[in-house]
């Protein structure tokens, strides 16, 4: 059986917000390691991989590996009933057909209990190889959010250019063009806003802005985000959390001139 | 020393009672180049594998509990595998020159891995080096330089060695179980291929590629093109069957309801390759 108690319910709420637009149904794979989720979007061009390590829960117990098939929209509906400061406990028996959720509010001694019906989902896990990327850019997550939103008004896709000087996001559409460049910076006093680039070689790739905007729904989870880019392989957008991560992979757009 | 002695559970080779203490050192892994843990004892080299339990398990030792529940396994490794990448770098081969001859001391000198010098103390080090090196100089002052042909010959001998012993290792035989229904030629090729992969696991990418180029598997390739065979080296990780068919089947079973946002995304996905063309499927 699974029993996992999360001190800050807000975390789970934010995670659901970060994946539910991209994925409809998915398995939460619970093991003694923690809770993981891997799923492709409906068009199979993007992949989200989520991990909540066991040490993020107190206590965490999972005797046997379980796959909990969940409709993410339904789960987020239930989580909307939880307060941000609530302690959330997830429970499921082996072979259970429901996931039970308990929200405890210590301030006013309120306990609410919900059960979510589970479903059988045939999920195929993709093996993601260890890749050494041509460019890894660490930057402020809210900056990425703003850039993607801004450029979306220009075009559907963005050309990301990384050189040792900086990272440039450029869009070209019917109404005109637009671009945002972030210089590699070492602003010591504002660590959260620094843009750090590890570069093996320059890269220049096209990505769908709609998808990127969708990934930035994870912005509340972390003040930092890393973009790992190599030509010919999917872009990796990673938000690290205290005990885990959420990673998005997106296939580059091909056959599009700028 | 002020370092506290830690107790660990380890499966290792038998050593005599009065043998010296093992030296534990970090060396560059011959395949990845990343630092890995190795043990030297009695002039022999061992590699260490850890079954890491990430602090979730413990051991009972007699009447006590030991909190570190990891299992350490040390197995002998042919030091020549370690030498090849080191020699490869140290000879500084260029297009014009075959590179430098070096003494044992200089070969194992590294600022990054100071423990490399321990390798020079290994038993019969000169003989091991001579297996893959051209040797020059007198018996007092011998110098070595990696020889590509010798190395390739040595690697091929390693593959052959595994091929000869293949049938005596149940785990290996099991790994090519898929060939049972296939003709004998295929099985023979599968054995060589499997042995090749075992050796390759200890090689850098460049040597791996060179060695692989020496072998051809015409029968297996023919089979592969007809049906997708399970790949053998990726223990546990298997490539799926026909990808497209899986997708089609999925769609027929159910069409998930899409939210507005998802419909927008579906439109935006034009011009992109499916993610499964980058990442291979594996069965859970």
């Amino acid at each position: 059986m699974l029993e996992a108690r999360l001190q800050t319910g807000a975390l789970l709420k934010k995670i659901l917000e970060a994946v539910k637009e991209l994925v409809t149904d998915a398995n939460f794979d619970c093991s003694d390691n923690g809770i993981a989720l891997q799923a492709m979007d409906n068009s199979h061009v993007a992949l989200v991989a989520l991990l909540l390590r066991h040490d993020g829960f107190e206590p965490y117990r999972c005797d046997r590996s379980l796959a909990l098939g969940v409709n993410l929209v339904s789960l987020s509906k239930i989580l909307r009933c939880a307060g941000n400061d609530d302690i959330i406990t997830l429970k499921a028996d082996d072979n259970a057909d429901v996931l039970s959720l308990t929200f405890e509010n210590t301030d006013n001694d309120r306990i609410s209990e919900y059960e979510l019906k589970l479903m059988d989902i045939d999920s195929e896990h993709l093996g993601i190889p260890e890749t050494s990327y041509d460019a890894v850019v660490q930057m402020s997550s809210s900056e990425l959010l703003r850039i993607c939103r801004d450029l979306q008004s220009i075009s559907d896709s963005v050309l990301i250019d990384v050189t040792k000087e900086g990272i440039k996001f450029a869009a070209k559409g019917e109404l005109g063009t637009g671009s945002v460049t972030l210089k590699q910076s070492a602003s010591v006093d504002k660590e959260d806003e620094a843009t750090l680039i590890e570069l093996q070689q320059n890269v220049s790739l096209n990505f769908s802005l709609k998808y990127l905007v969708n990934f930035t729904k994870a912005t509340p989870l972390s003040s930092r985000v890393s973009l790992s880019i190599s030509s010919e392989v999917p872009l990796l957008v990673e938000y690290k959390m205290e005990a885990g991560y959420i990673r998005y992979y997106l296939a580059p757009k091909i056959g599009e001139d700028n | 020393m002020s370092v506290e002695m830690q107790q660990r559970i380890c499966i290792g080779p038998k050593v005599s009672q009065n043998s010296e203490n093992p030296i534990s050192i970090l060396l560059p892994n011959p395949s990845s180049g990343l630092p890995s843990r190795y043990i030297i004892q009695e002039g022999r080299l061992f590699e260490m594998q850890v079954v890491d339990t990430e602090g979730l398990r413990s051991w009972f030792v007699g009447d006590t509990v030991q909190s570190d529940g990891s299992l350490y396994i040390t197995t002998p490794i042919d030091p020549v595998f370690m030498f090849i990448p080191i020699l490869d770098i140290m000879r500084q081969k260029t297009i014009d020159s075959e590179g430098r001859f070096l003494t044992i001391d200089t070969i194992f000198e590294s600022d990054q891995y100071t423990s490399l010098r321990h390798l020079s103390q290994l038993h019969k080090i000169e003989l091991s080096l001579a297996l893959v090196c051209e040797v020059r100089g007198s018996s007092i002052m011998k110098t070595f330089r990696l020889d590509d042909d010798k190395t390739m010959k040595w690697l091929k001998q390693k593959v052959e060695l595994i091929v000869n012993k293949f049938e005596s290792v149940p785990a290996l035989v099991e790994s090519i179980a898929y060939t049972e229904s296939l003709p004998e030629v295929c099985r023979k090729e599968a054995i060589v291929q499997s042995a090749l992969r075992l050796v390759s696991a200890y090689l850098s990418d460049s040597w791996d590629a060179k060695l692989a180029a020496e072998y051809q598997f015409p029968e297996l390739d023919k089979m592969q093109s007809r049906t997708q065979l399970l790949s053998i080296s990726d223990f546990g990780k298997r490539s799926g069957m026909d990808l497209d068919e899986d997708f089609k089947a999925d769609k027929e079973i159910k069409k998930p309801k899409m939210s507005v946002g998802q419909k927008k995304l579906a439109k935006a996905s034009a011009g992109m390759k499916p993610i499964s063309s980058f990442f291979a499927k594996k069965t859970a």
Side-chain angles (χ1 to χ4, degrees), chain A residues 20-23 32-33 40 42-45 124-127 129 208 210-211 214 232 234 249 251 253-254, chain B residues 54 56-57 246-247 254 256-259 261-262 265-266 268-275 278-282:
Chain A
K20 73 162 204 275
E21 277 287 85
L22 211 56
V23 180
D32 54 2
N33 243 338
M40 282 184 275
N42 283 320
S43 312
H44 292 249
V45 297
E124 296 144 316
H125 282 245
L126 299 182
S208 156
K210 282 238 168 59
Y211 276 88
N214 226 288
E232 311 281 315
Y249 295 87
K253 278 197 152 190
I254 37 177
Chain B
E54 295 176 11
L56 291 176
R57 286 182 180 76
D246 275 0
F247 285 156
K254 62 169 184 180
K257 273 176 264 162
M258 288 198 272
S259 68
Q262 282 167 347
L265 275 185
S269 67
M272 283 185 255
K273 276 203 231 170
I275 203 98
F278 300 98
F279 303 141
K281 285 187 187 187
K282 63 177 181 186

Side-chain angles (χ1 to χ4, degrees), chain B residues 158-174:
Chain B
K158 281 278 164 193
V159 175
E160 204 174 313
L161 210 67
I162 300 175
V163 169
N164 291 340
K165 301 254 176 181
F166 201 87
E167 302 283 356
S168 63
V169 185
L172 289 178
V173 176
E174 218 166 276

Side-chain angles (χ1 to χ4, degrees), chain B:
Chain B
M1 279 206 294
S2 61
V3 180
E4 203 183 316
M5 291 297 259
Q6 271 186 328
Q7 183 173 289
R8 294 201 169 93
I9 304 290
C10 176
I11 300 178
K14 263 191 191 165
V15 285
S16 54
Q17 281 278 310
N18 48 6
S19 64
E20 56 186 274
N21 276 334
I23 315 168
S24 160
I25 50 176
L26 277 180
L27 296 174
N29 183 297
S31 162
S32 63
L34 298 171
S36 310
R37 182 65 64 184
Y38 293 86
I39 305 278
I40 292 184
Q41 188 167 29
E42 309 265 271
R44 293 203 292 157
L45 182 68
F46 301 88
E47 64 177 328
M48 179 175 266
Q49 312 265 5
V50 183
V51 182
D52 191 1
T53 57
E54 295 176 11
L56 291 176
R57 286 182 180 76
S58 303
W59 286 104
F60 279 117
V61 183
D63 289 334
T64 59
V65 175
Q66 182 193 323
S67 72
D68 178 4
S70 304
L71 175 63
Y72 297 78
I73 303 168
T74 58
T75 44
I77 173 175
D78 192 326
V80 177
F81 281 113
M82 306 296 297
F83 298 159
I84 293 173
I86 300 168
L87 290 162
D88 208 357
I89 296 168
M90 293 306 284
R91 68 176 165 173
Q92 298 183 340
K93 187 180 174 180
T94 57
I95 307 162
D96 321 311
S97 119
E98 279 293 302
R100 311 181 292 174
F101 280 89
L102 296 163
T103 61
I104 289 187
D105 289 340
T106 36
I107 291 172
F108 298 112
E109 215 176 66
S110 159
D111 293 333
Q112 200 188 351
Y113 289 98
T114 45
S115 6
L116 270 185
R117 67 190 158 81
H118 289 291
L119 287 180
S120 62
Q121 324 271 307
L122 287 176
H123 195 54
K124 292 185 180 163
I125 172 86
E126 291 194 356
L127 286 177
S128 304
L129 283 172
L131 287 171
V132 291
C133 287
E134 197 179 323
V135 188
R136 274 194 196 166
S138 63
S139 57
I140 318 158
M141 179 72 179
K142 270 191 188 162
T143 56
F144 301 86
R145 184 180 69 190
L146 189 67
D147 183 298
D148 288 352
D149 295 338
K150 266 183 151 178
T151 308
M152 195 46 74
K153 198 174 140 205
W154 182 81
L155 288 174
K156 283 163 96 169
Q157 274 171 358
K158 281 278 164 193
V159 175
E160 204 174 313
L161 210 67
I162 300 175
V163 169
N164 291 340
K165 301 254 176 181
F166 201 87
E167 302 283 356
S168 63
V169 185
L172 289 178
V173 176
E174 218 166 276
S175 74
I176 56 153
Y178 70 93
T179 57
E180 257 163 29
S181 56
L182 301 178
E184 187 61 24
V185 269
C186 282
R187 193 172 163 79
K188 277 197 176 130
E189 280 185 8
I191 289 178
V192 178
Q193 193 180 45
S194 184
L196 174 65
R197 282 179 180 164
L198 284 177
V199 174
S200 297
Y202 286 90
L203 296 179
S204 63
D205 289 348
S206 62
W207 279 104
D208 180 13
K210 273 188 231 172
L211 182 63
E214 297 280 319
Y215 293 88
Q216 264 86 42
F217 306 101
E219 292 297 324
L220 276 185
D221 289 343
K222 252 187 261 167
M223 297 299 300
Q224 207 109 26
S225 56
R226 242 177 288 157
T227 52
Q228 285 258 353
L229 283 177
L230 302 179
S231 78
I232 24 179
S233 74
D234 316 340
F235 300 103
K237 203 188 346 170
R238 294 183 200 161
S239 63
M241 304 306 278
D242 194 85
L243 306 182
D244 298 302
E245 251 171 42
D246 275 0
F247 285 156
K248 269 181 229 149
D250 266 355
K251 270 178 195 154
E252 274 162 20
I253 295 166
K254 62 169 184 180
K255 280 199 173 149
K257 273 176 264 162
M258 288 198 272
S259 68
V260 183
Q262 282 167 347
K263 271 184 199 147
K264 276 188 193 159
L265 275 185
K267 273 186 207 155
S269 67
M272 283 185 255
K273 276 203 231 170
I275 203 98
S276 50
S277 65
F278 300 98
F279 303 141
K281 285 187 187 187
K282 63 177 181 186
T283 50

